[in-house]
Amino acid sequence: MNEQPNFSNSKAFIFDVDGVLTDGLLYCLASGEQVRAFNIKDGYAIRHAIKKGYVVAIISGRKEEGVYKRLRSLDVEHIYLGVENKAQVFAAFLEEQNLLAEHIVYMGDDVPDLEVMQKCGIAACPADAVSDIKKVCHYVSEVPGGKGAVRDLIETVLKTHSNW
């Protein structure tokens, strides 16, 4: 799917964390805490999208307090961490927000994201996503996860809506 997808129905973004908002690396400290690095440009884009009226949500299989605090600092209200069934959370989110699947741009990078990516309006991934994910994507960023792929996607969508 090489042509630019039609983002005209896009009203909300959903992102995975590891491999999308981060580069997928975990730094394990002696205390047992696992630390990740987030890209400041992704953070700016998330805040900007929220200010422009887009809904932003996070659905991640892992649950870490530091991740939650970072996302809240970006004004993200819909944060689902420690999720085992992303498709179930996706369906509940749609109902809660009165959105249709076609309104959602979802960015994931690995097999746990696949089911939701097959149901959303626009499936997107970072440049370094696994091949099974790239096959179902409407938009593959040229940027790797944790290095500005989220910024790239949000900026692309908002520019098509003249909201950037």
PDB file of all heavy atoms in Angstrom, residues 20 23 35 43-44 66 72 88 90 93 95 104 120-121 123 125 132-133 139 148 151:
ATOM      1  N   VAL A  20       7.081   2.131  19.381  1.00  0.00           N
ATOM      2  CA  VAL A  20       6.381   3.207  18.675  1.00  0.00           C
ATOM      3  C   VAL A  20       6.757   4.551  19.301  1.00  0.00           C
ATOM      4  O   VAL A  20       7.390   5.385  18.670  1.00  0.00           O
ATOM      5  CB  VAL A  20       4.846   2.994  18.695  1.00  0.00           C
ATOM      6  CG1 VAL A  20       4.117   4.193  18.100  1.00  0.00           C
ATOM      7  CG2 VAL A  20       4.488   1.722  17.929  1.00  0.00           C
ATOM      8  N   ASP A  23      12.024   3.418  21.384  1.00  0.00           N
ATOM      9  CA  ASP A  23      12.750   2.614  20.395  1.00  0.00           C
ATOM     10  C   ASP A  23      12.688   1.116  20.697  1.00  0.00           C
ATOM     11  O   ASP A  23      13.296   0.308  19.998  1.00  0.00           O
ATOM     12  CB  ASP A  23      14.202   3.073  20.269  1.00  0.00           C
ATOM     13  CG  ASP A  23      15.001   2.942  21.548  1.00  0.00           C
ATOM     14  OD1 ASP A  23      14.509   2.346  22.525  1.00  0.00           O
ATOM     15  OD2 ASP A  23      16.131   3.462  21.577  1.00  0.00           O
ATOM     16  N   VAL A  35      13.575   1.370  32.413  1.00  0.00           N
ATOM     17  CA  VAL A  35      13.503   2.747  31.931  1.00  0.00           C
ATOM     18  C   VAL A  35      13.467   2.767  30.405  1.00  0.00           C
ATOM     19  O   VAL A  35      14.142   1.981  29.746  1.00  0.00           O
ATOM     20  CB  VAL A  35      14.728   3.546  32.438  1.00  0.00           C
ATOM     21  CG1 VAL A  35      14.679   4.984  31.976  1.00  0.00           C
ATOM     22  CG2 VAL A  35      14.816   3.470  33.956  1.00  0.00           C
ATOM     23  N   GLY A  43       6.293  13.988  21.646  1.00  0.00           N
ATOM     24  CA  GLY A  43       5.518  14.623  22.708  1.00  0.00           C
ATOM     25  C   GLY A  43       4.890  15.925  22.250  1.00  0.00           C
ATOM     26  O   GLY A  43       3.711  16.191  22.524  1.00  0.00           O
ATOM     27  N   TYR A  44       5.659  16.735  21.535  1.00  0.00           N
ATOM     28  CA  TYR A  44       5.108  17.990  21.019  1.00  0.00           C
ATOM     29  C   TYR A  44       3.924  17.721  20.098  1.00  0.00           C
ATOM     30  O   TYR A  44       2.882  18.372  20.202  1.00  0.00           O
ATOM     31  CB  TYR A  44       6.178  18.795  20.253  1.00  0.00           C
ATOM     32  CG  TYR A  44       5.557  19.975  19.548  1.00  0.00           C
ATOM     33  CD1 TYR A  44       5.273  21.143  20.251  1.00  0.00           C
ATOM     34  CD2 TYR A  44       5.212  19.903  18.203  1.00  0.00           C
ATOM     35  CE1 TYR A  44       4.655  22.214  19.618  1.00  0.00           C
ATOM     36  CE2 TYR A  44       4.587  20.970  17.571  1.00  0.00           C
ATOM     37  CZ  TYR A  44       4.323  22.124  18.284  1.00  0.00           C
ATOM     38  OH  TYR A  44       3.700  23.173  17.660  1.00  0.00           O
ATOM     39  N   GLY A  66       6.244   5.149  35.279  1.00  0.00           N
ATOM     40  CA  GLY A  66       6.957   6.212  34.575  1.00  0.00           C
ATOM     41  C   GLY A  66       6.339   6.509  33.216  1.00  0.00           C
ATOM     42  O   GLY A  66       6.270   7.671  32.797  1.00  0.00           O
ATOM     43  N   ARG A  72       0.653  11.379  30.874  1.00  0.00           N
ATOM     44  CA  ARG A  72      -0.203  12.377  31.523  1.00  0.00           C
ATOM     45  C   ARG A  72       0.405  13.769  31.385  1.00  0.00           C
ATOM     46  O   ARG A  72      -0.315  14.750  31.242  1.00  0.00           O
ATOM     47  CB  ARG A  72      -0.423  12.031  33.002  1.00  0.00           C
ATOM     48  CG  ARG A  72      -1.384  10.899  33.226  1.00  0.00           C
ATOM     49  CD  ARG A  72      -2.807  11.146  32.689  1.00  0.00           C
ATOM     50  NE  ARG A  72      -3.401  12.310  33.321  1.00  0.00           N
ATOM     51  CZ  ARG A  72      -4.120  13.232  32.680  1.00  0.00           C
ATOM     52  NH1 ARG A  72      -4.352  13.136  31.391  1.00  0.00           N
ATOM     53  NH2 ARG A  72      -4.604  14.272  33.330  1.00  0.00           N
ATOM     54  N   GLN A  88     -10.210  -5.733  22.497  1.00  0.00           N
ATOM     55  CA  GLN A  88     -11.305  -5.499  23.442  1.00  0.00           C
ATOM     56  C   GLN A  88     -11.265  -4.059  23.954  1.00  0.00           C
ATOM     57  O   GLN A  88     -12.291  -3.385  24.028  1.00  0.00           O
ATOM     58  CB  GLN A  88     -11.187  -6.491  24.598  1.00  0.00           C
ATOM     59  CG  GLN A  88     -12.349  -6.507  25.541  1.00  0.00           C
ATOM     60  CD  GLN A  88     -12.191  -7.613  26.584  1.00  0.00           C
ATOM     61  OE1 GLN A  88     -11.112  -7.820  27.131  1.00  0.00           O
ATOM     62  NE2 GLN A  88     -13.265  -8.328  26.844  1.00  0.00           N
ATOM     63  N   PHE A  90      -9.846  -1.553  22.425  1.00  0.00           N
ATOM     64  CA  PHE A  90     -10.147  -0.727  21.252  1.00  0.00           C
ATOM     65  C   PHE A  90     -11.658  -0.575  21.085  1.00  0.00           C
ATOM     66  O   PHE A  90     -12.171   0.541  20.930  1.00  0.00           O
ATOM     67  CB  PHE A  90      -9.518  -1.368  20.009  1.00  0.00           C
ATOM     68  CG  PHE A  90      -9.842  -0.680  18.712  1.00  0.00           C
ATOM     69  CD1 PHE A  90      -9.310   0.554  18.407  1.00  0.00           C
ATOM     70  CD2 PHE A  90     -10.669  -1.291  17.784  1.00  0.00           C
ATOM     71  CE1 PHE A  90      -9.593   1.185  17.201  1.00  0.00           C
ATOM     72  CE2 PHE A  90     -10.962  -0.678  16.577  1.00  0.00           C
ATOM     73  CZ  PHE A  90     -10.421   0.567  16.289  1.00  0.00           C
ATOM     74  N   PHE A  93     -13.083   1.620  23.801  1.00  0.00           N
ATOM     75  CA  PHE A  93     -12.686   3.019  23.561  1.00  0.00           C
ATOM     76  C   PHE A  93     -13.584   3.653  22.505  1.00  0.00           C
ATOM     77  O   PHE A  93     -14.049   4.784  22.674  1.00  0.00           O
ATOM     78  CB  PHE A  93     -11.213   3.076  23.135  1.00  0.00           C
ATOM     79  CG  PHE A  93     -10.769   4.438  22.696  1.00  0.00           C
ATOM     80  CD1 PHE A  93     -10.497   5.429  23.623  1.00  0.00           C
ATOM     81  CD2 PHE A  93     -10.621   4.725  21.351  1.00  0.00           C
ATOM     82  CE1 PHE A  93     -10.086   6.699  23.223  1.00  0.00           C
ATOM     83  CE2 PHE A  93     -10.211   5.982  20.937  1.00  0.00           C
ATOM     84  CZ  PHE A  93      -9.943   6.961  21.874  1.00  0.00           C
ATOM     85  N   GLU A  95     -16.620   2.890  21.717  1.00  0.00           N
ATOM     86  CA  GLU A  95     -17.948   3.102  22.298  1.00  0.00           C
ATOM     87  C   GLU A  95     -17.943   4.292  23.262  1.00  0.00           C
ATOM     88  O   GLU A  95     -18.812   5.154  23.205  1.00  0.00           O
ATOM     89  CB  GLU A  95     -18.421   1.836  23.007  1.00  0.00           C
ATOM     90  CG  GLU A  95     -19.855   1.923  23.468  1.00  0.00           C
ATOM     91  CD  GLU A  95     -20.359   0.604  24.018  1.00  0.00           C
ATOM     92  OE1 GLU A  95     -19.973  -0.461  23.493  1.00  0.00           O
ATOM     93  OE2 GLU A  95     -21.137   0.653  24.979  1.00  0.00           O
ATOM     94  N   ILE A 104     -10.208   6.153  13.356  1.00  0.00           N
ATOM     95  CA  ILE A 104      -8.993   5.887  14.131  1.00  0.00           C
ATOM     96  C   ILE A 104      -7.771   5.676  13.249  1.00  0.00           C
ATOM     97  O   ILE A 104      -7.781   4.895  12.302  1.00  0.00           O
ATOM     98  CB  ILE A 104      -9.167   4.629  15.013  1.00  0.00           C
ATOM     99  CG1 ILE A 104     -10.417   4.724  15.883  1.00  0.00           C
ATOM    100  CG2 ILE A 104      -7.909   4.374  15.852  1.00  0.00           C
ATOM    101  CD1 ILE A 104     -10.458   5.867  16.862  1.00  0.00           C
ATOM    102  N   CYS A 120      -9.004  -0.831  12.366  1.00  0.00           N
ATOM    103  CA  CYS A 120      -9.060   0.627  12.407  1.00  0.00           C
ATOM    104  C   CYS A 120      -9.115   1.227  10.996  1.00  0.00           C
ATOM    105  O   CYS A 120      -8.915   0.528  10.010  1.00  0.00           O
ATOM    106  CB  CYS A 120      -7.857   1.177  13.164  1.00  0.00           C
ATOM    107  SG  CYS A 120      -6.290   0.926  12.324  1.00  0.00           S
ATOM    108  N   GLY A 121      -9.373   2.525  10.935  1.00  0.00           N
ATOM    109  CA  GLY A 121      -9.457   3.210   9.647  1.00  0.00           C
ATOM    110  C   GLY A 121      -8.132   3.270   8.919  1.00  0.00           C
ATOM    111  O   GLY A 121      -8.036   2.942   7.736  1.00  0.00           O
ATOM    112  N   ALA A 123      -4.121   2.075   9.453  1.00  0.00           N
ATOM    113  CA  ALA A 123      -3.075   1.372  10.197  1.00  0.00           C
ATOM    114  C   ALA A 123      -1.734   1.974   9.790  1.00  0.00           C
ATOM    115  O   ALA A 123      -1.450   2.123   8.602  1.00  0.00           O
ATOM    116  CB  ALA A 123      -3.106  -0.113   9.876  1.00  0.00           C
ATOM    117  N   CYS A 125       2.671   2.389  10.974  1.00  0.00           N
ATOM    118  CA  CYS A 125       3.758   1.808  11.760  1.00  0.00           C
ATOM    119  C   CYS A 125       5.043   2.585  11.534  1.00  0.00           C
ATOM    120  O   CYS A 125       5.198   3.267  10.523  1.00  0.00           O
ATOM    121  CB  CYS A 125       3.951   0.334  11.420  1.00  0.00           C
ATOM    122  SG  CYS A 125       4.611   0.007   9.771  1.00  0.00           S
ATOM    123  N   ASP A 132       5.223  -8.479   9.390  1.00  0.00           N
ATOM    124  CA  ASP A 132       3.791  -8.798   9.431  1.00  0.00           C
ATOM    125  C   ASP A 132       2.940  -7.547   9.648  1.00  0.00           C
ATOM    126  O   ASP A 132       1.809  -7.473   9.162  1.00  0.00           O
ATOM    127  CB  ASP A 132       3.484  -9.821  10.536  1.00  0.00           C
ATOM    128  CG  ASP A 132       3.949 -11.222  10.191  1.00  0.00           C
ATOM    129  OD1 ASP A 132       4.195 -11.495   8.988  1.00  0.00           O
ATOM    130  OD2 ASP A 132       4.063 -12.051  11.104  1.00  0.00           O
ATOM    131  N   ILE A 133       3.464  -6.601  10.363  1.00  0.00           N
ATOM    132  CA  ILE A 133       2.749  -5.339  10.597  1.00  0.00           C
ATOM    133  C   ILE A 133       2.826  -4.453   9.357  1.00  0.00           C
ATOM    134  O   ILE A 133       1.824  -3.878   8.929  1.00  0.00           O
ATOM    135  CB  ILE A 133       3.315  -4.616  11.843  1.00  0.00           C
ATOM    136  CG1 ILE A 133       3.018  -5.424  13.104  1.00  0.00           C
ATOM    137  CG2 ILE A 133       2.779  -3.196  11.951  1.00  0.00           C
ATOM    138  CD1 ILE A 133       1.552  -5.648  13.397  1.00  0.00           C
ATOM    139  N   TYR A 139       0.074   3.282   6.106  1.00  0.00           N
ATOM    140  CA  TYR A 139       1.119   4.305   6.202  1.00  0.00           C
ATOM    141  C   TYR A 139       2.299   3.739   6.977  1.00  0.00           C
ATOM    142  O   TYR A 139       2.141   3.343   8.136  1.00  0.00           O
ATOM    143  CB  TYR A 139       0.580   5.556   6.909  1.00  0.00           C
ATOM    144  CG  TYR A 139       1.565   6.694   6.965  1.00  0.00           C
ATOM    145  CD1 TYR A 139       1.701   7.558   5.890  1.00  0.00           C
ATOM    146  CD2 TYR A 139       2.367   6.896   8.084  1.00  0.00           C
ATOM    147  CE1 TYR A 139       2.608   8.612   5.934  1.00  0.00           C
ATOM    148  CE2 TYR A 139       3.277   7.938   8.139  1.00  0.00           C
ATOM    149  CZ  TYR A 139       3.387   8.793   7.060  1.00  0.00           C
ATOM    150  OH  TYR A 139       4.295   9.833   7.088  1.00  0.00           O
ATOM    151  N   GLY A 148      10.753   9.650  16.384  1.00  0.00           N
ATOM    152  CA  GLY A 148       9.931  10.668  15.749  1.00  0.00           C
ATOM    153  C   GLY A 148       8.878  10.123  14.799  1.00  0.00           C
ATOM    154  O   GLY A 148       8.243  10.889  14.075  1.00  0.00           O
ATOM    155  N   ARG A 151       5.528  11.701  15.624  1.00  0.00           N
ATOM    156  CA  ARG A 151       5.508  13.076  15.121  1.00  0.00           C
ATOM    157  C   ARG A 151       5.235  13.077  13.623  1.00  0.00           C
ATOM    158  O   ARG A 151       4.418  13.859  13.117  1.00  0.00           O
ATOM    159  CB  ARG A 151       6.831  13.762  15.431  1.00  0.00           C
ATOM    160  CG  ARG A 151       7.155  15.027  14.645  1.00  0.00           C
ATOM    161  CD  ARG A 151       6.264  16.197  15.032  1.00  0.00           C
ATOM    162  NE  ARG A 151       6.599  17.408  14.310  1.00  0.00           N
ATOM    163  CZ  ARG A 151       7.285  18.412  14.836  1.00  0.00           C
ATOM    164  NH1 ARG A 151       7.724  18.359  16.073  1.00  0.00           N
ATOM    165  NH2 ARG A 151       7.535  19.494  14.125  1.00  0.00           N
TER     166      ARG A 151
END
